[in-house]
Amino acid sequence: MKVTLSALDTHESSFTPLVVIELAQDVKEETKEWLKNRIISRKKDGGAQLLFRPLLNKYEKETLENQNLYLVGASRIRLLLGAEAVGLVKECSDDTMRAFMYGTRHNFKGFDDDNDDFLTMAERQFIIKHELESLRARDEKMIPGYPQAKLYPGKSLLRRLLTSGIVIQVFPLHDNEALKKLEDTWYTRFTVKYQPIDSIRGYFGETIALYFGFLEYFTFALIPVAVLGLPYYLFVWENYDKYVVFASFNLIWSTVILEVWKRGCASMTYRWGTLVMKRQFEEPRPGYHGVLGINSVTGREEPLYPSYKRQLRIYLVSLPFVCLCLYFSLFVMMIYFDMEAWALDLHENSRSEWTSILLYVPSIIYAIVIEIMNRLYRYAAEFLTSWENHRLESAYQNHLILKVLVFNFLNCFASLFYIAFVLRDMKLLRQSLATLLITSQIFNQIVESLLPYWLQKKQHVKVKKKVQALKADIDATLYEQVVLEKEMGTYLGTFDDYLELFLQFGYVSLFSCVYPLAAAFAVLNNLTEVNSDALKMCRVFKRPFSEPSASIGVWQLAFETMSVISVVTNCALIGMSPQVNALFPESKADLILIVVAVEHALLALKFILAFAIPDKPRHIQMKLARLEFESLEALKQQQMKHVAENLKEDWREGGKEEAP
């Protein structure tokens, strides 16, 4: 009988495979046996208490290539206990959201002893990942069979196995049947429609679902700006005084959409349970290293690294390197302007159709160079941030995002600011903005989706031929799936996807009064981006592990910061326009004062709107307040019970003392 992902957890040899571990080809047998024992051992013995078996049995390994691939799963009860351990929140029968507890499992909506769908596959894979990452060294000094792979108490075993090259990769398997259903409702039919966000969340988890939810929301939010910008582009191109209305609308729009998104995000994540999910004390990230010691807060034994050493690395190495990269970006920008001047001189001397086309070539080349520089810098930023040795994953992500955002902002927008406020060439600004926006969108579509999809299709054909040529009497279905998926690229998270939207938001909002058509191009791009990103997630990359999220995190702050900067740039551009300057022919000081006053008024309006629009809807606030009240009441009752027991014990001891 063929083993498929829909098989039931009946016994160890036929459990549902959820996660794949690939070992190096030359891994020693004693290492494999040790790893297996740590994975299947009980929790109290330092194991993960999971189910574990090789993809191929001994006979199949002799018949096929020697694939060191192993399948990991868990029993139903183990998964439910894991859900309690990681703090998953589920909906109760009384429509409230509460942290799941195995002891009160029958109080949760949809739970049944015979129902295997209570936990989504993404949640089950997240639990297994958490258990594997929780495997820590106890009394081992090294990985068996590898004396050079040192261990110390508390060291993450999975991290050491990966860095030592013993484990090649760990990834969750796709569920082909569920994936096909998701694809049919998501992207296979190219129509303008709402995405199945809840289904995406059930399959890929909250982090991926929030990205696609934000992408859809941002695309629809751009439509009013695109519709309003079209007549401005067609009829009042050079009348900058009339752009005051459009720029003001754009600034209010950017504030309102971000505040409304926070409300919609809160409603979604409350329904998913992540808004009320209690975060445990954050453990050290797997890549964190240092001298073994005792954490003064938790009392746990873990690596310790002096803060001053990290600060020295940041300020003496990382900061100078970032500044050097920023200088190099400006140097490349000046080369671009030299190319622009050369193309313009050539056109003025020749005045032909070819030279007219040539005017756009420097901008196109510069846009491609910008994208390449952004990607190269990203690798350098990841290396530096990892080398800084941050203890927490949140600190690592914040430092990485800060490095990347600073460089990308300067790299993408420095030339536009230079053209606008130094050269003051509005025609060149429009041309450069349009070229950078369109070229970057086309480049990203090709590099992120089309090229990987084409390469993946070629790999798929090779695997198909290889499996069909097998003469062994085995189940080739699961074997083919695992071998195919292990060759897929690894999805590195939503960082690049949010970064692309962030830069797009900058192109639309920073210079809206100069190029109102930017929003229309952004809408057209995002309509295809939804489908290309969906294709990328389903068919190009390995399935990523689910990660619970309550919001889009630091990206919300990044978008809000960009909207504040856009107030300054748009007010300055309108103040520089010939029509507005003509109103103040004698005193430029009055013009500057009025522009600054308008800018401050618009900023004040933005902050008033942000304050007036609550981050969470009223009904969500009430439910959260009710949960907090019930938690306090439960704590109070527990304390009163403890006091009563102490009084009772004191009374008993007092009675014994008074007895003769």
Side-chain angles (χ1 to χ4, degrees):
M1 185 180 69
K2 291 186 176 182
V3 178
T4 63
L5 292 182
S6 60
L8 298 177
D9 290 346
T10 53
H11 49 83
E12 185 173 345
S13 62
S14 62
F15 64 83
T16 304
L18 296 171
V19 174
V20 176
I21 298 178
E22 182 184 6
L23 303 182
Q25 292 294 339
D26 56 349
V27 173
K28 299 176 181 178
E29 287 300 322
E30 62 176 312
T31 309
K32 294 180 184 178
E33 193 63 27
W34 169 79
L35 177 60
K36 175 186 175 181
N37 289 334
R38 290 304 302 265
I39 291 176
I40 66 176
S41 296
R42 295 187 177 186
K43 292 281 288 183
K44 65 179 182 180
D45 298 327
Q49 206 166 341
L50 301 173
L51 302 178
F52 180 86
R53 70 172 175 85
L55 173 64
L56 303 175
N57 60 37
K58 184 177 180 181
Y59 166 73
E60 292 167 345
K61 283 185 179 180
E62 293 172 354
T63 308
L64 304 175
E65 293 182 2
N66 184 22
Q67 300 283 356
N68 275 341
L69 296 166
Y70 295 84
L71 305 176
V72 183
S75 66
R76 187 166 176 273
I77 294 176
R78 181 70 188 86
L79 288 170
L80 293 174
L81 292 173
E84 179 179 343
V86 299
L88 288 185
V89 175
K90 290 288 186 178
E91 187 176 8
C92 292
S93 301
D94 60 356
D95 297 330
T96 59
M97 305 297 296
R98 300 180 188 279
F100 177 78
M101 296 184 67
Y102 184 76
T104 59
R105 58 192 181 279
H106 293 287
N107 295 336
F108 290 86
K109 187 177 290 186
F111 182 86
D112 190 275
D113 287 325
D114 298 324
N115 180 17
D116 290 314
D117 297 327
F118 179 70
L119 296 176
T120 66
M121 192 172 182
E123 289 171 337
R124 284 180 275 167
Q125 290 169 332
F126 169 69
I127 291 168
I128 288 181
K129 176 189 176 228
H130 176 268
E131 297 298 340
L132 290 174
E133 289 181 340
S134 298
L135 285 174
R136 304 242 171 212
R138 305 185 87 182
D139 54 357
E140 303 100 327
K141 301 297 183 184
M142 64 177 187
I143 294 176
Y146 294 87
Q148 73 278 10
K150 302 295 183 183
L151 293 174
Y152 51 79
K155 175 63 179 177
S156 169
L157 294 182
L158 185 61
R159 176 70 182 180
R160 174 60 75 204
L161 289 165
L162 286 167
T163 55
S164 301
I166 299 169
V167 171
I168 303 299
Q169 59 180 334
V170 180
F171 62 92
L173 274 174
H174 276 294
D175 183 336
N176 288 329
E177 184 178 344
L179 182 61
K180 185 67 170 64
K181 290 180 181 178
L182 177 61
E183 288 176 322
D184 289 340
T185 59
W186 194 4
Y187 72 91
T188 52
R189 300 178 183 88
F190 187 81
T191 56
V192 179
K193 60 182 179 182
Y194 290 108
Q195 299 178 87
I197 300 297
D198 286 332
S199 299
I200 298 170
R201 176 254 171 179
Y203 193 85
F204 288 109
E206 290 79 17
T207 300
I208 305 296
L210 280 175
Y211 163 69
F212 280 100
F214 183 74
L215 173 59
E216 177 183 84
Y217 172 80
F218 183 55
T219 302
F220 280 104
L222 281 168
I223 292 176
V225 185
V227 171
L228 187 62
L230 191 60
Y232 271 89
Y233 174 79
L234 295 175
F235 303 118
V236 289
W237 184 249
E238 297 296 341
N239 296 331
Y240 287 92
D241 54 332
K242 294 184 175 62
Y243 280 115
V244 174
V245 176
F246 180 71
S248 301
F249 169 80
N250 203 335
L251 301 175
I252 296 171
W253 163 85
S254 65
T255 303
V256 171
I257 65 162
L258 293 175
E259 294 301 317
V260 172
W261 162 253
K262 283 194 282 190
R263 291 170 60 85
C265 181
S267 297
M268 275 196 303
T269 52
Y270 178 82
R271 187 173 71 250
W272 296 340
T274 52
L275 186 64
V276 295
M277 190 173 177
K278 297 295 182 183
R279 287 290 178 187
Q280 300 172 336
F281 185 82
E282 199 170 353
E283 295 184 357
R285 49 187 292 269
Y288 176 68
H289 59 84
V291 179
L292 194 66
I294 302 298
N295 186 302
S296 57
V297 177
T298 64
R300 300 172 185 166
E301 192 175 38
E302 64 178 47
L304 300 179
Y305 188 77
S307 177
Y308 77 90
K309 289 187 178 180
R310 184 180 304 110
Q311 299 301 320
L312 287 175
R313 291 186 175 191
I314 291 173
Y315 291 111
L316 297 183
V317 179
S318 296
L319 184 60
F321 178 79
V322 172
C323 292
L324 181 64
C325 290
L326 295 178
Y327 173 79
F328 181 74
S329 174
L330 295 176
F331 178 75
V332 172
M333 181 189 75
M334 299 312 298
I335 294 176
Y336 155 66
F337 285 120
D338 290 339
M339 292 172 61
E340 282 282 1
W342 170 78
L344 184 61
D345 290 340
L346 189 63
H347 175 66
E348 289 179 351
N349 293 330
S350 302
R351 293 288 178 180
S352 65
E353 293 183 3
W354 289 107
T355 56
S356 298
I357 298 174
L358 189 64
L359 288 175
Y360 291 91
V361 171
S363 296
I364 294 173
I365 294 174
Y366 183 52
I368 295 173
V369 170
I370 284 176
E371 292 297 328
I372 294 173
M373 288 171 61
N374 286 343
R375 293 172 190 277
L376 292 176
Y377 176 81
R378 167 75 185 276
Y379 292 118
E382 287 178 344
F383 173 80
L384 274 178
T385 311
S386 179
W387 178 72
E388 289 166 7
N389 198 26
H390 296 279
R391 178 183 178 274
L392 303 180
E393 183 65 28
S394 57
Y396 170 84
Q397 290 295 334
N398 290 339
H399 280 80
L400 175 62
I401 289 173
L402 179 62
K403 287 185 184 73
V404 174
L405 281 186
V406 168
F407 180 81
N408 278 258
F409 182 85
L410 185 75
N411 199 30
C412 293
F413 299 117
S415 62
L416 301 178
F417 279 100
Y418 186 82
I419 295 170
F421 301 113
V422 179
L423 300 181
R424 298 193 177 189
D425 187 341
M426 296 300 116
K427 184 177 179 180
L428 180 59
L429 178 60
R430 285 196 298 271
Q431 174 189 315
S432 298
L433 177 57
T435 307
L436 287 173
L437 175 63
I438 297 170
T439 305
S440 64
Q441 290 176 346
I442 295 173
F443 184 86
N444 284 323
Q445 292 279 6
I446 294 172
V447 172
E448 291 184 3
S449 298
L450 297 180
L451 182 60
Y453 179 70
W454 178 73
L455 294 174
Q456 179 58 33
K457 289 289 285 185
K458 291 185 66 177
Q459 178 65 28
H460 196 168
V461 171
K462 289 172 63 177
V463 173
K464 278 277 188 183
K465 290 180 179 178
K466 188 176 179 181
V467 173
Q468 289 171 0
L470 296 176
K471 296 180 179 179
D473 184 20
I474 66 161
D475 167 31
T477 306
L478 185 60
Y479 174 78
E480 177 187 347
Q481 179 185 352
V482 173
V483 172
L484 176 64
E485 290 185 23
K486 84 179 185 70
E487 298 297 334
M488 288 180 170
T490 300
Y491 182 65
L492 300 176
T494 56
F495 186 97
D496 289 329
D497 297 314
Y498 278 119
L499 181 61
E500 185 179 344
L501 290 180
F502 172 77
L503 296 176
Q504 185 186 93
F505 182 67
Y507 286 127
V508 171
S509 61
L510 286 178
F511 304 98
S512 58
C513 63
V514 174
Y515 192 60
L517 210 57
F521 281 113
V523 170
L524 293 175
N525 174 77
N526 289 356
L527 290 176
T528 59
E529 183 81 15
V530 169
N531 291 277
S532 63
D533 281 352
L535 174 69
K536 175 176 70 177
M537 295 301 306
C538 294
R539 294 296 172 187
V540 175
F541 291 114
K542 295 184 186 75
R543 184 179 188 173
F545 279 105
S546 167
E547 286 293 339
S549 297
S551 67
I552 62 174
V554 71
W555 291 105
Q556 181 78 33
L557 178 61
F559 278 88
E560 289 172 353
T561 304
M562 181 69 82
S563 69
V564 171
I565 297 173
S566 69
V567 174
V568 180
T569 57
N570 281 282
C571 288
L573 286 172
I574 292 172
M576 287 167 50
S577 66
Q579 291 83 358
V580 174
N581 272 265
L583 300 175
F584 301 89
E586 297 180 358
S587 176
K588 297 301 179 185
D590 292 342
L591 173 60
I592 294 173
L593 289 174
I594 290 176
V595 169
V596 171
V598 170
E599 172 205 314
H600 280 59
L602 288 172
L603 284 174
L605 179 60
K606 280 178 65 66
F607 291 125
I608 291 171
L609 285 172
F611 178 78
I613 302 174
D615 291 349
K616 300 179 181 68
R618 178 66 177 170
H619 69 281
I620 299 295
Q621 293 180 23
M622 295 295 293
K623 290 178 179 178
L624 293 175
R626 180 184 172 188
L627 283 175
E628 185 177 358
F629 172 75
E630 291 177 354
S631 298
L632 291 173
E633 286 295 307
L635 180 62
K636 189 186 299 182
Q637 290 178 5
Q638 187 177 2
Q639 290 175 340
M640 291 177 64
K641 183 179 178 181
H642 182 67
V643 170
E645 289 176 351
N646 288 338
L647 289 173
K648 189 175 181 180
E649 187 67 28
D650 292 343
W651 179 81
R652 286 176 178 173
E653 291 178 358
K656 290 177 181 178
E657 290 174 0
E658 293 173 4

